[in-house]
Amino acid sequence: MILMDENITEFGNMSVLLHSASATSYCIEWFSKMTGASIILTRTDTSKYLVTRKWAIGRELEDVLSEFSRANQAIIHFLNNVDIAKINEKRVAAAKLHCINLFVKAEGLRSITNLNLPKPRLQDAIGKKVVVKSTLGNCEIATGLLLQLVGNQVEIQVNPNQADNKLLRQKFYSRQVSIC
């Protein structure tokens, strides 16, 4: 892909980049200088979108990849999982709006008016240690690192001593999860 310098926009300690490969494929990347992590929305083909979370090299975590067939699902997932650590809320809103405008232009859609960008619960905890408790009481089910928000669920990488290798990544309803 070709990185076009005129499509790099800075928002404090993070950058939003637009990569373009052809008329039908592009990437929008949100890179955090604070955490060294990025999340990338990629349109590879008509009706094929990938959202990839790349962790900082020192984190030694595998990338998180989510695949979508609908554009609106992909952009919502992307915006819900951007790294907002130590960023002013106004800058986050401006950066999200910029991402939406890039997306709308790349997709050839009409511009969006009356935009409401609520901050999803636990978004600022992505990449941090969380605890999962049962819905019936305060019984602890698991602890681990929050990897991504998926609708009304969260995906965490469970501590290896709490699960076998097949179940290191698990999903729980977001109301069960809290920051340690």
Side-chain angles (χ1 to χ4, degrees):
M1 286 192 205
I2 302 164
L3 174 61
M4 297 178 284
D5 289 337
E6 66 271 14
N7 289 321
I8 299 173
T9 308
E10 301 285 331
F11 294 92
N13 63 4
M14 52 142 224
S15 304
V16 174
L17 302 90
L18 176 65
H19 306 269
S20 180
S22 68
T24 60
S25 63
Y26 62 87
C27 294
I28 300 171
E29 180 179 357
W30 178 294
F31 175 74
S32 171
K33 296 173 191 169
M34 289 295 295
T35 64
S38 64
I39 186 162
I40 304 165
L41 168 64
T42 307
R43 178 181 176 190
T44 57
D45 200 0
T46 305
S47 300
K48 186 168 182 184
Y49 300 87
L50 301 173
V51 178
T52 309
R53 175 149 190 95
K54 294 188 174 286
W55 301 98
I57 296 168
R59 296 295 304 265
E60 297 180 7
L61 291 169
E62 290 182 29
D63 294 345
V64 178
L65 181 69
S66 301
E67 199 170 316
F68 300 92
S69 59
R70 296 181 51 194
N72 63 339
Q73 292 172 332
I75 189 68
I76 289 168
H77 184 78
F78 173 81
L79 292 173
N80 286 343
N81 287 281
V82 295
D83 202 343
I84 61 171
K86 297 182 181 180
I87 301 174
N88 175 302
E89 285 189 37
K90 288 182 181 179
R91 283 194 177 162
V92 170
K96 284 184 176 184
L97 179 60
H98 181 67
C99 289
I100 289 171
N101 289 334
L102 290 174
F103 175 77
V104 164
K105 186 175 179 182
E107 288 291 320
L109 303 172
R110 288 183 285 139
S111 54
I112 299 172
T113 58
N114 299 329
L115 188 61
N116 182 15
L117 295 169
K119 180 178 125 183
R121 184 178 174 273
L122 296 170
Q123 185 173 9
D124 52 354
I126 294 173
K128 295 181 182 170
K129 188 175 177 183
V130 294
V131 62
V132 180
K133 295 184 178 180
S134 71
T135 55
L136 300 175
N138 283 338
C139 178
E140 188 176 302
I141 298 172
T143 59
L145 293 175
L146 179 57
L147 299 176
Q148 68 176 336
L149 306 174
V150 185
N152 63 351
Q153 294 184 322
V154 296
E155 183 176 354
I156 69 169
Q157 180 169 313
V158 179
N159 290 340
N161 59 351
Q162 293 180 324
D164 62 24
N165 287 338
K166 296 177 190 172
L167 300 173
L168 281 180
R169 289 187 174 189
Q170 296 181 15
K171 289 184 182 177
F172 299 95
Y173 289 101
S174 66
R175 295 289 177 210
Q176 293 175 265
V177 180
S178 57
I179 301 171
C180 290

